[in-house]
């Protein structure tokens, strides 16, 4: 079994793709929802659209004033001669530039401070917000309209203007209103509870919706055929063509291609993992007479320079987890508590949407793709284990984690009960500091007891109490 790179064949088949920008090659392999996510994450797209609208409005104003010459036909109040129009437009060009610079500079300074305190991913989340993008688009539209209008003014064509000065003033008033709205929106968005709620909603909308519609329809627990039957067949390994993080896999196209060519494909890496050039990416078996095109298989796996949350469940979790951990270090228990409960909601959504099975099948339920196995236990520990390490001496944060697990077991499927109890027990045993207040100790034990009763582990809870009692007696004796 060797890596099949096929450099000569790849150069011939993919030569035409090198003529296109890297971003376009990436978009080529995306589903509709993934494409929308990438467009949303790039603010230049909406700014470009607004700029095009601005150019169209300039053309309309030019046609009204220069071709139809309505400036001399409208009431005197709406008329503006060349000098007045030129003064209005030239003054407001400087005004809109100042407004843009002041707004963006102020917001970036605040966001930079917030990013250092909580997480640098706030910048991306803020820029991806549709209200932020529309306000920036409005600023861009107004700037383009006023700038082009300034250069189109011509005294030799007409002496009186109507559309250009009127629309310039109206658009500037719109920009001022957008500025006020933007400041209000930014202040509300930067409140820490709102930040975490927005991050959670973004993760649920992007990750869970994408997986629910692009991956889950192909998942099954009992496919036709067993993966063990592949051991005796010749396997061909496809290696990564470059280094980076695995960001997106087009599962739909892979399943179709595997069905068409009678293949079974097994991934050696999961979404979000870092691979080096030449690292085994996937292995496939040819069950029929057709031979797979290695480059086709590679192009449906996009490798980039950073992690994204389009299909990476863990990345969405890590954003909120990072806020919780930094809040603990900054002595901000309220923010850490909020992050813990938002993480609990996200984990519940994952358990409801995702079936933890590695098998993807076609319409006939024939096994086509095997992904790296994921479990509820993996996401549970990925969500809370790092937080509990930092909260080993903090009874308040530890109680919040236990309360979060208590809420979780009341909503999840019973098949996850034992895993949840074992994790809660490890959290309880990992707590090291003495309880200063009886209320804190009582809350600690009550949460653990509720988890034990819900998951049917009353005996395990009693054993834990005995261990605590013995430890207390040993400490008092020494």
């Amino acid at each position: 079994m060797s890596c099949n790179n096929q450099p000569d064949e790849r150069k011939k088949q993919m030569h035409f793709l090198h003529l296109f920008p890297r971003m376009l090659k990436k978009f080529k392999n995306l589903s509709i929802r993934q494409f929308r996510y990438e467009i949303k994450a790039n603010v230049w797209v909406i700014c470009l659209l607004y700029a095009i609208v601005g150019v169209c409005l300039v053309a309309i104003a030019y046609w009204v004033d220069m071709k139809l010459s309505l400036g001399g036909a409208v009431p005197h109040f709406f008329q503006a001669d060349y000098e007045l129009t030129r003064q209005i437009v030239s003054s407001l060009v400087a005004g809109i530039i100042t407004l843009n610079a002041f707004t963006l500079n102020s917001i970036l300074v605040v966001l930079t401070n917030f990013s250092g305190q909580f997480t640098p991913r706030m910048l991306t989340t803020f820029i991806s917000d549709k209200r932020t993008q529309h306000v920036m688009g409005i600023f861009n539209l107004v700037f383009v309209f006023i700038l082009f209008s300034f250069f189109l003014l011509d005294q030799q064509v007409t002496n009186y203007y109507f559309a250009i000065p009127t629309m310039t003033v109206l658009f500037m008033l719109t920009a001022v209103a957008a500025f006020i709205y933007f400041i209000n929106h930014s202040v509300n968005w930067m409140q820490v509870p709102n930040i975490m709620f927005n991050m959670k909603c973004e993760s649920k909308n992007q990750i869970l919706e994408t997986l629910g519609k692009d991956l889950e329809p192909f998942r099954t627990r009992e496919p036709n055929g067993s993966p063990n039957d592949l051991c005796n067949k010749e396997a061909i390994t496809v290696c990564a063509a470059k280094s980076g993080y695995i960001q997106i896999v087009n599962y739909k196209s892979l399943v179709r291609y595997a069905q068409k060519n009678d293949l079974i494909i097994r991934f050696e890496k999961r979404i979000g993992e870092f691979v080096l050039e030449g690292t085994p990416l996937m292995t496939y078996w040819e069950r029929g007479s057709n031979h797979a095109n290695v480059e086709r298989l590679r192009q449906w796996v996009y490798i980039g320079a950073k992690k994204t949350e389009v299909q990476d469940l863990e990345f969405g979790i890590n954003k909120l987890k990072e806020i919780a951990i930094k809040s603990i270090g900054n002595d901000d228990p309220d923010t850490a508590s909020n992050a813990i409960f938002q993480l609990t909601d996200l984990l519940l959504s994952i358990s409801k949407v995702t079936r933890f099975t590695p098998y993807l099948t076609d319409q006939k339920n024939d096994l086509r793709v095997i992904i790296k196995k994921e479990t509820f236990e993996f996401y549970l520990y990925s969500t809370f284990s790092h937080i509990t390490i930092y909260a080993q001496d903090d009874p308040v944060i530890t109680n919040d984690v236990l309360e979060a697990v208590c809420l979780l077991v009341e909503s999840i499927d019973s098949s996850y009960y034992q895993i949840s109890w074992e994790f809660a027990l490890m959290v309880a045993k990992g707590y090291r500091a003495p309880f200063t207040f009886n209320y804190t100790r009582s809350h600690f034990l009550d949460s653990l007891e509720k988890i034990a009763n819900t998951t049917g582990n009353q005996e395990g809870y009693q054993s834990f109490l005995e261990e605590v009692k013995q430890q207390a007696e040993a400490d008092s004796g020494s």
Side-chain angles (χ1 to χ4, degrees), residues 110-223:
V110 175
L111 281 175
T112 301
N113 294 332
F114 266 66
S115 298
Q117 184 177 357
F118 296 107
T119 171
R121 298 182 182 92
M122 284 185 177
L123 285 170
T124 304
T125 305
F126 182 75
I127 292 300
S128 299
D129 186 89
K130 62 181 181 180
R131 290 166 292 184
T132 302
Q133 292 194 347
H134 282 298
V135 170
M136 295 180 69
I138 290 173
F139 286 161
N140 204 41
L141 182 152
V142 175
F143 173 73
V144 169
F145 179 87
I146 297 177
L147 182 64
F148 276 69
S149 297
F150 179 78
F151 288 109
L152 290 176
L153 295 178
D154 190 348
Q155 190 176 14
Q156 296 180 355
V157 177
T158 182
N159 290 321
Y160 293 97
Y161 295 87
F162 159 66
I164 290 179
T166 302
M167 294 177 70
T168 299
V169 172
L170 291 177
F171 283 150
M172 193 61 192
L173 292 175
T174 302
V176 172
F179 170 75
I180 297 172
Y181 172 81
F182 187 52
I183 295 298
N184 182 70
H185 160 64
S186 301
V187 170
N188 290 330
W189 190 92
M190 289 179 191
Q191 297 176 17
V192 176
N194 292 338
I195 289 173
M196 289 183 288
F197 179 77
N198 291 332
M199 284 187 170
K200 182 201 68 175
C201 292
E202 182 183 18
S203 297
K204 291 177 69 173
N205 293 337
Q206 299 299 337
I207 303 174
L208 301 179
E209 181 182 0
T210 300
L211 286 178
K213 296 181 179 180
D214 289 345
L215 178 60
E216 295 302 318
F218 303 101
R219 272 182 159 166
T220 185
R221 297 187 183 277
E222 298 180 356

Side-chain angles (χ1 to χ4, degrees), residues 162-371:
F162 159 66
I164 290 179
T166 302
M167 294 177 70
T168 299
V169 172
L170 291 177
F171 283 150
M172 193 61 192
L173 292 175
T174 302
V176 172
F179 170 75
I180 297 172
Y181 172 81
F182 187 52
I183 295 298
N184 182 70
H185 160 64
S186 301
V187 170
N188 290 330
W189 190 92
M190 289 179 191
Q191 297 176 17
V192 176
N194 292 338
I195 289 173
M196 289 183 288
F197 179 77
N198 291 332
M199 284 187 170
K200 182 201 68 175
C201 292
E202 182 183 18
S203 297
K204 291 177 69 173
N205 293 337
Q206 299 299 337
I207 303 174
L208 301 179
E209 181 182 0
T210 300
L211 286 178
K213 296 181 179 180
D214 289 345
L215 178 60
E216 295 302 318
F218 303 101
R219 272 182 159 166
T220 185
R221 297 187 183 277
E222 298 180 356
N224 297 333
S226 173
N228 298 327
D229 299 337
L230 303 174
C231 297
N232 299 326
K233 297 182 180 181
E234 182 181 359
I236 302 174
T237 302
V238 179
C239 296
K242 64 178 181 177
S243 301
Y245 291 96
I246 302 176
Q247 295 180 338
I248 299 169
V249 176
N250 192 333
Y251 294 107
K252 184 176 182 180
S253 297
L254 277 174
V255 170
R256 286 179 176 176
Y257 187 79
Q259 180 183 11
K260 180 180 178 180
N261 294 276
D262 199 12
L263 307 175
I264 295 182
I265 303 169
R266 184 184 69 196
F267 276 87
E268 306 298 336
K269 301 291 180 181
R270 63 163 49 95
I271 299 289
E273 286 194 53
F274 186 85
V275 296
L276 296 174
E277 182 180 356
T279 300
L281 194 62
M282 66 181 83
T283 304
Y284 68 91
W285 290 264
E286 297 174 341
R287 301 198 304 177
S289 58
N290 295 335
H291 295 287
N293 186 323
V294 174
E295 202 54 51
R296 290 288 298 277
L297 296 176
R298 256 199 215 101
Q299 75 175 10
W300 288 317
V301 181
Y302 184 79
I303 299 175
K306 61 181 181 179
K307 290 186 177 183
T308 65
E309 60 181 332
V310 178
Q311 292 181 333
D312 189 358
L313 290 171
E314 189 179 4
F315 182 79
I317 291 173
N318 287 340
K319 293 195 305 182
L320 289 169
K321 183 173 68 176
E322 187 176 350
I323 294 179
I325 291 172
K326 286 193 174 183
S327 300
I328 295 173
N330 294 331
D331 296 326
D332 187 1
D334 186 62
T335 299
S337 176
N338 198 332
I340 288 170
F341 290 114
Q342 296 293 350
L343 280 166
T344 307
D345 186 27
L346 184 58
L347 186 59
L348 175 63
S349 300
I350 292 174
S351 68
K352 289 183 176 180
V353 173
T354 306
R355 290 175 291 176
F356 298 101
T357 172
Y359 306 126
L360 307 184
T361 60
D362 56 21
Q363 296 88 340
K364 298 179 181 180
N365 201 41
D366 292 333
L367 180 62
R368 293 303 174 190
V369 177
I370 305 172
I371 61 176

